[in-house]
């Protein structure tokens, strides 16, 4: 299950970084000389910067900005679309050369895209493809979920498991809905007897995932597989299984993202119930 992850890692590591002609320890919002006299001013409006996935995206962005001598200003909307619009307007008023946005809401962010378009500022969206952005950087979430589901089905068949699945999702986000739908399709294509027993809203955070998964397990004690839309959702679901006193050797977890060290540690631990995850490589998305 790690073949895809390691394969992409090798490809990513084989790409040489473009060094700046001058080095600097510049940070977000600080201009760094590139040696060629050109400094691009780039604004990035985050939707949820406290999450590890986005912290790693920012890490990749900062690294590339410093290598190329670009000015990078980062602001966090913290899940508030009104705040994201206001932050975007402020960045446009500063005459940024490009605006990068991880939309809090796909429809709600459209006025900002239109305002940037009218000002001649290109807009790059991350994670959420829209109709009006200049460019989208991200993955095909349905296809990613589909590959993940196929891997889960193959594991189930090889280990004589009839999957009874708890999905820990985040239905407010369309990309997460696509991940779940892709997973279901891939899983049941490979393992037709698999059953999606219940879907819960974990909100993408571990604490919420544990709480809602605990309730789901109480009502559905025959669950033996957890699928989460990110690391925290999967790990939270598995923690709930363990807390419920389930035999963890009979529980299987499949996740999405593999953005943090916790998930990576679980995936290389042969005793862990976390058996596979679709790697998104947020550092590379940021770069």
């Amino acid at each position: 299950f790690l073949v895809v992850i390691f394969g992409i890692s090798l490809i990513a590591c084989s790409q040489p970084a473009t060094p700046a002609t001058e080095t600097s320890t510049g940070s977000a919002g600080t201009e760094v000389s590139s040696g060629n006299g050109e400094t691009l001013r780039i604004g990035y409006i985050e939707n949820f910067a406290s999450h590890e996935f986005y912290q790693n995206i920012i890490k990749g962005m900062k690294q590339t900005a410093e290598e190329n001598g670009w000015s990078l200003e980062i602001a966090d909307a913290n899940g508030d679309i009104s705040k994201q619009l206001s932050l975007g307007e402020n960045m446009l008023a500063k005459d940024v050369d490009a605006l990068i946005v991880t939309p809090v809401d796909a429809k709600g962010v459209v006025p900002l895209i239109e305002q940037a378009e009218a000002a001649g500022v290109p807009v790059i969206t991350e994670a959420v493809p829209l109709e009006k952005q200049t460019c989208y950087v991200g993955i095909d979430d349905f296809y990613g979920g589909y590959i993940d589901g196929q891997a889960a089905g193959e594991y189930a068949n090889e280990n004589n498991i009839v999957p009874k699945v708890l999905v820990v999702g985040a239905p407010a986000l369309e990309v997460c809905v696509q991940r779940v739908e892709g997973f279901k399709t891939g899983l049941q294509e490979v393992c037709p007897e698999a059953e999606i027993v219940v879907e819960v809203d974990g909100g993408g955070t571990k604490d919420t995932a544990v709480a809602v998964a605990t309730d789901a397990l109480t009502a559905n004690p025959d669950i033996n597989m957890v699928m989460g839309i990110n690391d925290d959702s999967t790990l939270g679901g598995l923690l709930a299984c363990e807390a419920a006193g389930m035999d963890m050797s009979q529980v299987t977890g499949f996740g999405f993202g593999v953005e943090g060290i916790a998930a990576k540690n679980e995936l290389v631990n042969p005793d862990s119930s976390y058996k596979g995850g679709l790697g998104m490589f947020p550092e590379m998305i940021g770069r």
Side-chain angles (χ1 to χ4, degrees):
F1 300 114
L2 297 179
V3 169
V4 173
I5 292 175
F6 291 146
I8 297 177
S9 294
L10 290 172
I11 293 171
C13 291
S14 70
Q15 302 300 315
T18 302
T21 54
E22 295 181 19
T23 59
S24 171
T25 56
S27 60
T30 302
E31 292 189 359
V32 187
S33 174
S34 65
N36 61 9
E38 180 183 11
T39 298
L40 292 177
R41 303 186 66 208
I42 302 169
Y44 176 39
I45 311 170
E46 184 52 84
N47 69 339
F48 191 36
S50 62
H51 197 282
E52 189 172 19
F53 181 84
Y54 294 110
Q55 291 169 6
N56 286 328
I57 282 183
I58 290 169
K59 185 187 301 181
M61 295 176 77
K62 285 182 176 180
Q63 184 179 8
T64 302
E66 290 181 0
E67 289 172 357
N68 289 279
W70 300 332
S71 168
L72 175 64
E73 180 176 345
I74 299 168
D76 181 21
N78 197 28
D80 185 336
I81 185 61
S82 296
K83 184 177 180 181
Q84 188 164 64
L85 295 176
S86 176
L87 290 169
E89 290 170 356
N90 289 340
M91 286 189 177
L92 290 174
K94 294 178 182 179
D95 295 325
V96 293
D97 296 298
L99 189 63
I100 305 172
V101 183
T102 298
V104 172
D105 178 82
K107 293 181 180 178
V109 79
V110 169
L112 176 60
I113 307 296
E114 292 175 338
Q115 185 176 345
E117 187 179 56
V121 177
V123 178
I124 298 92
T125 58
E126 182 276 324
V128 182
L130 308 174
E131 293 182 0
K132 293 197 171 201
Q133 77 269 313
T134 310
C135 176
Y136 163 67
V137 178
I139 69 167
D140 182 329
D141 285 272
F142 180 89
Y143 186 63
Y146 176 76
I147 295 171
D148 202 24
Q150 285 187 316
E154 289 166 1
Y155 181 88
N157 290 340
E158 290 168 3
N159 291 276
N160 298 314
I161 298 169
V162 178
K164 304 288 185 181
V165 186
L166 162 64
V167 173
V168 184
L173 300 175
E174 179 60 28
V175 292
C176 294
V177 173
Q178 290 299 311
R179 293 173 193 179
V180 170
E181 292 306 308
F183 182 87
K184 292 178 187 176
T185 301
L187 173 65
Q188 293 178 324
E189 183 178 289
V190 174
C191 187
E193 65 272 26
E195 178 186 355
I196 308 299
V197 176
V198 61
E199 298 183 42
V200 296
D201 182 1
T205 64
K206 186 179 291 185
D207 289 346
T208 303
V210 170
V212 296
T214 297
D215 292 341
L217 292 168
T218 300
N220 303 277
D222 58 337
I223 286 169
N224 61 7
M225 181 178 285
V226 175
M227 182 273 172
I229 50 84
N230 65 359
D231 286 359
D232 282 349
S233 299
T234 310
L235 294 171
L238 291 174
L239 280 174
C241 292
E242 186 174 3
M246 298 175 66
D247 180 355
M248 296 306 289
S249 68
Q250 302 301 309
V251 177
T252 303
F254 279 81
F256 206 103
V258 196
E259 66 266 18
I261 192 65
K264 293 169 186 174
N265 286 342
E266 290 296 314
L267 285 168
V268 297
N269 176 4
D271 297 324
S272 173
S273 296
Y274 198 170
K275 299 302 183 185
L278 192 287
M280 290 179 66
F281 299 91
E283 296 90 343
M284 294 304 297
I285 291 174
R287 288 182 65 80

